[in-house]
Amino acid sequence: MLRTEERQRLARERREEREKQHAAKETQILEKERKAKLQYEKQLEERQRKLKEMKQKEEQRRAAVEEKRKQKIEEEKERYEAVLHRTLERNQRLETRQKRWSWGGSVTPDSEGKTASKRSPSTANLKQAEAAVSKRLSSSAALLNASDRTRRSQLSPLDNSVISRLLAPTQASLARSKSAATLSAD
């Protein structure tokens, strides 16, 4: 009986020992699984963080590119406005110069000397002034006619006749321009 009890006790101890080893192995396996799961979660979080950073960098880069594009457009707009402003100023200066000299014309000393030898000074000056005035009037009328043709094509015949009468120089205005040219030539 002793031997049987002894055998049973030894068998029980071996069984308990195996159960302890089995439990230890299971805890090791569970621990490994837990560590692997934690590692996977860390890697997943790291990957998500990197993706987020990449998205932010990409958004910042796009915003910077968009800002540069807007600045370039703004600079081009300012440059265009400056050129336009300078052109308008130049045109206004030219117009004021032309308005200043449009009635008097320019009489050069050479042309005065050539005509003075053939005619008396007063008639030569009058002829030159008259030629300058008629030249100026015809060129300004041509300019007006060219720019107004498109507008006139849209108007009625009655309006066209009224406008052409208003645009034609009167005898009084021609006489004034001749006297102004004579005075400026003298």
Side-chain angles (χ1 to χ4, degrees), residues 68-84:
K68 278 185 182 179
R69 189 182 67 79
K70 284 181 181 178
Q71 281 180 340
K72 204 172 194 179
I73 288 173
E74 190 65 30
E75 287 171 1
E76 287 176 3
K77 185 179 176 183
E78 288 173 3
R79 210 176 304 128
Y80 174 75
E81 287 176 355
V83 167
L84 188 65

Side-chain angles (χ1 to χ4, degrees), residues 19-118:
E19 285 177 1
K20 281 181 185 178
Q21 286 176 356
H22 187 64
K25 279 184 181 178
E26 279 189 25
T27 55
Q28 283 179 348
I29 290 172
L30 288 174
E31 186 64 26
K32 280 183 182 178
E33 285 179 358
R34 189 182 65 82
K35 284 182 180 179
K37 191 176 181 181
L38 284 173
Q39 183 69 24
Y40 176 74
E41 288 174 356
K42 279 183 183 178
Q43 287 176 349
L44 195 63
E45 286 176 7
E46 185 69 21
R47 200 175 298 145
Q48 287 176 347
R49 186 183 60 78
K50 284 182 180 178
L51 281 172
K52 202 173 193 179
E53 285 177 1
M54 284 174 57
K55 281 182 183 178
Q56 285 177 345
K57 284 180 183 177
E58 183 65 24
E59 286 176 6
Q60 288 173 350
R61 188 187 65 78
R62 283 183 184 165
V65 166
E66 184 66 21
E67 186 63 31
K68 278 185 182 179
R69 189 182 67 79
K70 284 181 181 178
Q71 281 180 340
K72 204 172 194 179
I73 288 173
E74 190 65 30
E75 287 171 1
E76 287 176 3
K77 185 179 176 183
E78 288 173 3
R79 210 176 304 128
Y80 174 75
E81 287 176 355
V83 167
L84 188 65
H85 183 68
R86 283 195 302 267
T87 305
L88 287 174
E89 283 180 353
R90 201 176 307 130
N91 286 345
Q92 285 177 349
R93 276 187 265 141
L94 285 173
E95 284 177 12
T96 54
R97 273 193 217 140
Q98 286 175 353
K99 284 178 184 175
R100 237 185 270 153
W101 298 105
S102 65
W103 295 109
S106 61
V107 179
T108 59
D110 293 343
S111 61
E112 266 184 46
K114 288 176 186 173
T115 55
S117 62
K118 294 180 182 175

Side-chain angles (χ1 to χ4, degrees), residues 8 14 23 37 56 123 129 131 133 141-142 152-154 178 182:
Q8 285 178 351
R14 270 185 261 148
K37 191 176 181 181
Q56 285 177 345
T123 57
V133 167
R152 283 191 194 173
S153 64
Q154 298 168 352
K178 285 180 185 176
T182 306

Side-chain angles (χ1 to χ4, degrees), residues 4-18:
T4 4
E5 285 179 18
E6 184 77 22
R7 282 184 197 161
Q8 285 178 351
R9 187 181 59 82
L10 284 174
R12 201 179 318 128
E13 284 177 4
R14 270 185 261 148
R15 203 177 326 126
E16 286 174 2
E17 187 65 31
R18 266 184 286 167

